[in-house]
Amino acid sequence: KYCSKAQYDGTLALEACARSCSTCDCEDDSSWYRAGKPSKGCDWVGKKAKKRCNKVGSDGTLASESCPYTCGECGCQNSATW
């Protein structure tokens, strides 16, 4: 609804708030899950990201590597000032 709105300086919300507007070019790996726990994927990580982003997956990668969107590792975050 607000993603097409511009701020006083002309910055569009979809640029400043990439996560909220789903314009972030970063995705979680839908096949990742915690080692030995196939029901615990990136959605599970997101429920307690601070604690779970360091969990190791079945493929040996950390959740923060395979679930970058969920763990805030994409480099595109929402602006705190927009």
Side-chain angles (χ1 to χ4, degrees):
K1 177 178 176 176
Y2 297 104
C3 292
S4 61
K5 303 287 184 191
Q7 189 174 354
Y8 64 91
D9 66 357
T11 304
L12 293 175
L14 60 89
E15 296 167 349
C17 304
R19 285 184 64 115
S20 294
C21 292
S22 299
T23 56
C24 187
D25 192 22
C26 176
E27 296 179 3
D28 290 341
D29 180 352
S30 61
S31 66
W32 185 92
Y33 61 89
R34 185 173 176 192
K37 312 273 184 178
S39 65
K40 296 185 176 182
C42 292
D43 289 340
W44 171 79
V45 171
K47 291 177 183 173
K48 293 184 181 177
K50 274 190 159 182
K51 290 175 65 174
R52 297 176 177 169
C53 285
N54 66 348
K55 300 297 182 188
V56 178
S58 62
D59 61 359
T61 64
L62 292 175
S64 60
E65 296 172 283
S66 295
C67 308
Y69 186 82
T70 295
C71 292
E73 299 291 331
C74 292
C76 59
Q77 303 298 319
N78 288 335
S79 169
T81 59
W82 193 93

